Amino acid sequence: MRNRLISVSTIVFGAFGVIIVNLIPLIGIAAGEWNLRAILLIYWIEAVTTVLIAATKSLFAEQGSPGLQAKMEPLHELRAKRGGFQLFHGWPPIYPRNIPFALTILGFWISVGAPPSVLYLWFGHPEFIFSVDILLSIGALVGMQVFEFMTEYIGENEYTDVSAQAIVQTPAQFSAVVLSVGILSTAGDSVTGGGLVFVIVIMKTIISVRRFYAEHAETSILAGLPDFIHQLISRVFEMSRSDEDEIEPQPEVTLPDAEVNARVSTDRRAVLLGSIWTIIFGLFNRFGVGSLVVPAVAVIIGDPLLIGVAMIIPLAVFGAQVLSFYLRYGTIEYQRRGDSIVAYDTVLDAPQWIAPVHTAEFEVKNAVSDRLLDTGTLDITAEKIDRDIQFGPVSNIETAVETLDLPVSQTDRPDRDLAVMGAATALALSFLVVPIGMYFSEKVAPLTAIGFTIAVGPFLFIPVGLLIHAGLSRI
């Protein structure tokens, strides 16, 4: 009973603190020193802080996130990764499987919240007054979130009961508030008036209190309260840390009870080379295409400095794809344990998958990287494994098969076929004749050529990429 009362009092006083901090802007409004632009500045900084902290929280979330039918998250392939690594002593581990959710949170703000904010700041010519009370309000709103993250989420081990998928929803409400304030502020204070500012602050306060209850309060804490109060709070503030459909047990693999009889490591050169094709095909999604839009617009504008800054986005996407692919295959050691083959991550110190040797099916993969480096890879199909797994790439596939005693009799790839290579090259060039010729034609303006490339380029990359891949696979 005492623990329950302490929990209830903690939640009540915590919610009271959230209310006080969020109502601070009303003091500035009452004093006549604040307007919608000042509110926008304060809420924008708080929203950015919320996004960054939510992304950081998702990395530490210990519970698993249920699988989604559509693989919409960036680097969604990392969701199959098992284990984590400790970044700071005394802190919980960071789980690579949560990185796609952290990137989703950041991508949501960059694609939805940031562009209107930048346009408003660029074209609206806002005049902000950095007074002491505004700085104190910003410090209070940001400091409250940082304090909660350090003392409660990390200090009180709240990360053990939440999944990354549940945390993704947090920034959406604040982004909506910031965007609404920004849109309203463009109308000018003379039109909107102080009354509308008051309404916005109250709505923002309600959203903050609602989020506080959803993140901190559990149904069991208020079980002793009268039923009508319990039902009212549960309905208004959604008294649950996260929905059941957003959490599943921590996804870990149990090692077989057998000693390691043999080990084979991957060929890291082949892993890095093989990542190129994954990167190319990974660009054909909304995040990949979106990363190319800003550089394309910068090229049309023609500002060299803007082009250089804009190229940071696709380079960051490219680097993330390389690291993701390397983390999937480059740190793996294949172990023979009894009648099983185990893919063990030596960096995360955790098994990734386990396949039965005698019942699994092994098939040689005709990878381009293996063709160029004379390495080898096997595709593995086994029951009770609901995802694609592979063995390799390894430096010498025959030696690896013999070392691990795998039931593979044929390790040769298809023979070189010059006819396929020639046909694929000729067809690829036929697709590229028109767009390349536009840049050398005096009758076509440079902006027209660039616009045509932006509009048609993504559709040409698919057949050209497939043809190049087909030709290299028979080199």
Side-chain angles (χ1 to χ4, degrees), residues 82-83 100 136 159-160 228 262 332 344 464:
R82 302 293 179 256
L136 288 176
Y159 57 86
T160 60
F228 74 95
I332 298 298
Y344 195 87
V464 171

Side-chain angles (χ1 to χ4, degrees), residues 230-241:
H230 188 188
Q231 294 177 3
L232 176 63
I233 295 178
S234 299
R235 183 171 301 177
V236 174
F237 296 109
E238 297 182 358
M239 295 288 295
S240 62
R241 301 175 72 100

Side-chain angles (χ1 to χ4, degrees), residues 1 7 12 129 266 274 437 455:
M1 175 65 70
S7 300
V12 171
I129 302 176
T266 55

Side-chain angles (χ1 to χ4, degrees), residues 32-111:
E33 299 180 355
W34 291 16
N35 52 24
L36 274 174
R37 289 172 178 172
I39 300 296
L40 173 63
L41 173 64
I42 295 172
Y43 286 174
W44 189 85
I45 294 178
E46 184 188 8
V48 172
T49 304
T50 301
V51 169
L52 294 177
I53 290 181
T56 305
K57 281 183 174 181
S58 66
L59 295 176
F60 296 101
E62 187 172 300
Q63 297 299 317
S65 302
L68 300 179
Q69 295 181 355
K71 299 177 180 179
M72 301 296 293
E73 311 99 339
L75 305 184
H76 62 270
E77 61 275 0
L78 286 180
R79 292 189 58 183
K81 229 22 204 179
R82 302 293 179 256
F85 59 92
Q86 195 172 36
L87 190 61
F88 302 109
H89 178 70
W91 279 53
I94 290 177
Y95 298 98
R97 66 171 181 268
N98 294 334
I99 292 178
F101 294 99
L103 293 178
T104 299
I105 297 174
L106 296 176
F108 171 80
W109 172 253
I110 292 174
S111 60

Side-chain angles (χ1 to χ4, degrees), residues 77-78 80-81 264-272 274-275 278 321-334 343-348 352-353 365 369 377-379 387-394:
E77 61 275 0
L78 286 180
K81 229 22 204 179
V264 173
S265 299
T266 55
D267 188 297
R268 298 182 178 181
R269 300 174 307 151
V271 172
L272 291 175
S275 66
T278 302
Q321 290 280 1
V322 172
L323 291 176
S324 172
F325 192 87
Y326 186 82
L327 186 59
R328 291 173 62 196
Y329 302 110
T331 59
I332 298 298
E333 177 185 79
Y334 299 97
Y344 195 87
D345 193 302
T346 57
V347 173
L348 301 180
Q352 302 303 303
W353 51 260
K365 185 176 182 178
S369 57
T377 306
L378 299 176
D379 285 327
R387 59 189 177 95
D388 297 331
I389 59 177
Q390 73 176 37
F391 173 85
V394 295

Side-chain angles (χ1 to χ4, degrees), residues 296-438:
V297 174
V299 171
I300 294 176
I301 295 175
D303 188 342
L305 179 60
L306 184 59
I307 294 174
V309 174
M311 286 301 298
I312 296 177
I313 299 177
L315 289 177
V317 174
F318 179 85
Q321 290 280 1
V322 172
L323 291 176
S324 172
F325 192 87
Y326 186 82
L327 186 59
R328 291 173 62 196
Y329 302 110
T331 59
I332 298 298
E333 177 185 79
Y334 299 97
Q335 304 174 351
R336 179 64 186 264
R337 293 174 177 258
D339 294 330
S340 301
I341 179 174
V342 179
Y344 195 87
D345 193 302
T346 57
V347 173
L348 301 180
D349 195 23
Q352 302 303 303
W353 51 260
I354 301 174
V357 173
H358 300 295
T359 59
E361 297 181 2
F362 299 85
E363 182 180 357
V364 176
K365 185 176 182 178
N366 187 27
V368 173
S369 57
D370 292 336
R371 287 276 187 177
L372 298 176
L373 298 177
D374 197 24
T375 53
T377 306
L378 299 176
D379 285 327
I380 303 177
T381 304
E383 296 182 357
K384 299 182 179 180
I385 297 181
D386 56 353
R387 59 189 177 95
D388 297 331
I389 59 177
Q390 73 176 37
F391 173 85
V394 295
S395 301
N396 190 309
I397 189 64
E398 294 181 357
T399 302
V401 168
E402 182 180 352
T403 301
L404 298 181
D405 192 19
L406 301 179
V408 179
S409 58
Q410 181 65 30
T411 59
D412 295 333
R413 292 182 294 271
D415 296 332
R416 177 181 300 178
D417 194 328
L418 296 179
V420 173
M421 296 171 54
T425 303
L427 289 174
L429 291 176
S430 67
F431 281 104
L432 297 176
V433 167
V434 174
I436 294 178
M438 295 179 65

Side-chain angles (χ1 to χ4, degrees), residues 232-284:
L232 176 63
I233 295 178
S234 299
R235 183 171 301 177
V236 174
F237 296 109
E238 297 182 358
M239 295 288 295
S240 62
R241 301 175 72 100
S242 57
D243 296 334
E244 293 183 359
D245 58 353
E246 296 173 350
I247 288 181
E248 65 181 11
Q250 188 176 9
E252 298 298 339
V253 178
T254 303
L255 285 171
D257 188 15
E259 296 293 333
V260 179
N261 299 326
R263 308 170 189 266
V264 173
S265 299
T266 55
D267 188 297
R268 298 182 178 181
R269 300 174 307 151
V271 172
L272 291 175
L273 184 60
S275 66
I276 295 178
W277 297 107
T278 302
I279 294 167
I280 293 175
F281 291 118
L283 291 175
F284 296 106

